[in-house]
Amino acid sequence: SAVYGITSAHAGEGKSIVAANTAISFAQMGKKVLLVDGDMRCPTVYRFFGMKKKKEGKGTMYYQVFIRH
């Protein structure tokens, strides 16, 4: 198994879209993929996968996605 990190020095450089596309590519190759959006202030990865954003409790965000094979 491997771990990949995608980073850059500035906001708006396309890290989230690169991460999402990389995750999709690996999944299409039959690999198991866990994509974690580490941006706690302004998460965006959930948007690329049609996920719903919920706010429950004090400052805790939960994301819900349904994946079908």
Side-chain angles (χ1 to χ4, degrees), residues 4-16:
Y4 296 93
I6 298 170
T7 185
S8 72
H10 303 285
E13 291 186 335
K15 297 175 290 293
S16 295

Side-chain angles (χ1 to χ4, degrees), residues 25-48:
S25 294
F26 279 116
Q28 288 175 338
M29 291 188 296
K31 305 289 183 185
K32 291 182 181 180
V33 177
L34 173 64
L35 176 59
V36 177
D37 189 346
D39 190 339
M40 297 296 138
R41 292 185 193 149
C42 185
T44 58
V45 171
Y46 72 95
R47 294 183 203 161
F48 302 126

Side-chain angles (χ1 to χ4, degrees), residues 48-59:
F48 302 126
F49 297 98
M51 298 169 82
K52 305 220 182 209
K53 186 173 172 181
K54 294 182 181 179
K55 187 163 185 158
E56 295 180 12
K58 260 191 172 174

